[in-house]
Amino acid sequence: MSTEQSTTDRHFVIKASSVSKIYGQGEGATRALEGVSLTVDKGDIFGIIGLSGAGKSTLIRALAGLIKPSSGQILFHDTDLGALKGKRLRNFRLKMGMIFQHFNLFSSRTVAGNVAYPLEIAGISKPEREKRVEELLKLVGLSSKGGLYPSQLSGGEKQRVGIARALANDPEVLFCDEATSALDPRTTKEILDLLKMVNKKLGVTVVLITHDMEVIKRICNRVSVIEGGKIVEEGLVSQVFAEPKHPTTKQFIQGSSHEIPEEFWKPESPNRRLIRLRFKGSSAGEPLISQIAKMYHVDANILLGWIDCLQTTIVGTLVVELIGPAKGIEEALGYLAEKNVHHEVLIPNSPHEVLTSL
Ligand code: ADP
């Protein structure tokens, strides 16, 4: 599925409108979600990113029908989750796949036994279960490990079992609750690749929560940034990366590895500007820096540069020091804007303030 869909060919699977959740009552009450609205479309890998305590777990549980919001509405296609009760609610939950940070496997069951569990609950016959378990273990690359117990597996293998179990009843949506947070970077990549394969090959819509922008960058097409129970920014990952607006989003995008040496944080001057440029798509292919040097007699000293590959889009970032006549600098910035290069002037009062505002 294209990540740059038009709004007309989008079909939502989940639509949350003004969802709030308050835990407890009176003085001890915690407002975990406040007026959250979002739309997950069919085929999305939808990421929700936020720091600890932001409300991610509450939100994903509400979207999966595991907890009821205090107010607001969550639609799954045309079914209002708030109206589901008893057997209908249990049947709905059976059709939702979910995986967890700490895998939540039964230690007393084998790998095959864990994957078979939701099929048993759904009343599938033994021969059918065995066939399905075999298919699922093959899908996640664990065909030879069906007889082992979770304690005999690596973290990545445990999460593969979690994924196979979550897919057992052919869910339309797979919810991932910090699914890679307990894994090392290489295993994280393997599990994310597996989720991507599940999304593409089986057409399963994925909703994930994470505190790690690398996860969003690697597999998501859409992202919502959550802070203090509210969505502070949302959109296509490529857009949000190229033009982050909220300071929290900027902090998530700015990796700690990208730091500018302190000597470049000089006081602002009309003849010198420190700017960050974000190039997306076709603008990345034009020699814009040499063009502004020629056209406006502005020198560009490149301090930092990196490229982020986001699904189908490449976003390039450059931090440059522009030196030249004040008018030339203004005109050069206008020219870059015309070319759809998003720029931000970095005006430091102190290195610390600038680093956190990157
Ligand atoms: P995150 O997943 O982003 O860390 P959570 O959704 O777990 O955030 O928590 C959001 C807020 O709600 C936090 O302040 C947390 O302490 C509170 N909270 C979460 N679950 C409960 C609960 N069952 N009872 C009371 N407060 C809770």
Side-chain angles (χ1 to χ4, degrees), residues 23-24 30-32 50-59 178 209 226:
Y23 291 110
T30 304
R31 204 171 266 277
L51 297 170
S52 180
K56 304 181 294 296
S57 307
T58 304
L59 180 55
E178 294 276 8
I209 60 170
I226 186 169

